[in-house]
Amino acid sequence: MSKPIALVTGGAQGIGLASAKAIAENGARIVIADINAEGAESAAREIADDAVAYACDMGDPKQIAALFDKIETEVGPVSILVNNAGISLPSEFLETSLEDFQAVIDVNLTGTFLASQRAAQTMVAKGIKGAIVNMSSVNAVVSIPTILPYCASKGGVMQMTKAASLALAPHGIRVNAVGPGSIDTDMLASVNSNPEALKTLLSRTPLKRIGTAKEIGDVVAFLASDKASYITGETIYVDGGRLGMNYTC
C-alpha cells in the first residue's frame, strides 16, 4: 500500500520542518516546498530517504501552479496539505507601505487559498478524502499594531479555514488550522534576545514559557491524521493559555 503524500509549505525550518517530521512519523511521504531551495533539500534529507523537495515562492501564483504540476507528475496526488509558509514585515501602521502589506497577504493568505484550492481540486477529482491544515496565529484574534498585515492575513486564514471546510465537507475533505502563540522560531528571535521583551511576553503566557516548534508540529500532525477524523473547520490555538487572559500587552 502506497504512503499518503503530504506537502508542507515553508517546510525548510521551524514549525514547517517540525510538522513534516511529525507527519512522516505517522506514515506519510513528505514533500517540502520552500523559497529556500537548499534548505528544503536539507530538510528532506533529514526527514526520510523518500522525502522530496521543491523550491517555490508561495506568494507567486504561477510558481504555486507549477509546484502542484511537478508534484502530481513526479510524486503523486497530495492527500495532506500543510499551508505553513508565512512572512511578517513589521512596521509602524502609519508607515506601512502598500507593497509590504500586499507581500504579506500574497504569501500568508492568497498562497494558502491557491494551494488549498489546487490540492482540493485533485482530491475531489480522484476521490481522495484528504486533510488540509492551515497555519493561523493567535494574532487572528488578538493584535499587535506593528504587524498589521500579518494580523489581517492570519484572521483571513482563520475565516478561510471555516468556509473551505464547509465547501469541502461533502467530499470528505477536512480543513482545520493551528494558531500558534509565542513559539521558539526565527520569527521570535528578537524577543528571545531582549530580556525586557521576553519578560513581557511571559507575563501574558500562563504556562510561563515559550512553546516549541515540535509542540506545534504534533498538533498539525494530529489534525492531518485519522485521529482527527471528526474535526473540521476548527482552529486549535497552541498558545500556553494566552487567549484565556483578558489583556494582551
Side-chain angles (χ1 to χ4, degrees):
M1 183 176 179
S2 61
K3 293 181 177 181
I5 296 167
L7 168 61
V8 181
T9 71
Q13 61 184 1
I15 289 172
L17 178 55
S19 298
K21 288 179 177 179
I23 293 170
E25 289 174 1
N26 285 346
R29 184 180 182 187
I30 301 298
V31 178
I32 297 290
D34 201 285
I35 196 169
N36 177 357
E38 184 177 340
E41 291 284 356
S42 177
R45 289 193 298 269
E46 184 179 343
I47 292 167
D49 291 340
D50 63 355
V52 294
Y54 295 93
C56 184
D57 178 354
M58 296 305 295
D60 184 336
K62 291 183 179 178
Q63 289 193 39
I64 294 171
L67 170 67
F68 278 90
D69 287 345
K70 289 179 181 178
I71 294 171
E72 291 171 4
T73 299
E74 299 174 5
V75 186
V78 172
S79 57
I80 297 170
L81 170 64
V82 179
N83 285 305
N84 172 73
I87 61 172
S88 179
L89 300 174
S91 64
E92 295 295 332
F93 172 62
L94 296 178
E95 299 168 3
T96 300
S97 68
L98 176 59
E99 290 76 15
D100 281 357
F101 182 90
Q102 193 63 58
V104 173
I105 296 296
D106 285 347
V107 175
N108 297 6
L109 185 57
T110 307
T112 294
F113 161 71
L114 291 172
S116 297
Q117 184 185 61
R118 176 59 186 273
Q121 286 169 343
T122 298
M123 290 178 193
V124 171
K126 294 186 175 295
I128 297 170
K129 297 185 185 302
I132 298 171
V133 183
N134 299 322
M135 197 57 62
S136 186
S137 169
V138 291
N139 293 120
V141 180
V142 296
S143 298
I144 299 174
T146 54
I147 54 169
L148 184 148
Y150 183 83
C151 295
S153 71
K154 294 305 183 179
V157 167
M158 177 185 67
Q159 284 294 87
M160 184 165 61
T161 297
K162 293 179 182 179
S165 74
L166 299 176
L168 296 176
H171 303 286
I173 300 168
R174 297 181 300 104
V175 187
N176 291 291
V178 177
S182 300
I183 307 300
D184 190 11
T185 63
D186 288 348
M187 195 173 286
L188 201 69
S190 62
V191 174
N192 287 342
S193 62
N194 183 327
E196 283 303 312
L198 181 60
K199 181 180 177 181
T200 299
L201 184 155
L202 295 179
S203 75
R204 64 192 187 198
T205 305
L207 288 184
K208 298 302 180 186
R209 66 174 178 84
I210 294 172
T212 68
K214 183 181 185 303
E215 288 174 312
I216 304 300
D218 286 343
V219 177
V220 170
F222 164 70
L223 289 174
S225 75
D226 290 340
K227 292 180 179 179
S229 57
Y230 202 53
I231 302 175
T232 195
E234 298 296 331
T235 298
I236 296 180
Y237 293 99
V238 187
D239 65 354
R242 177 176 170 184
L243 289 182
M245 302 183 77
N246 65 354
Y247 63 90
T248 59
C249 60

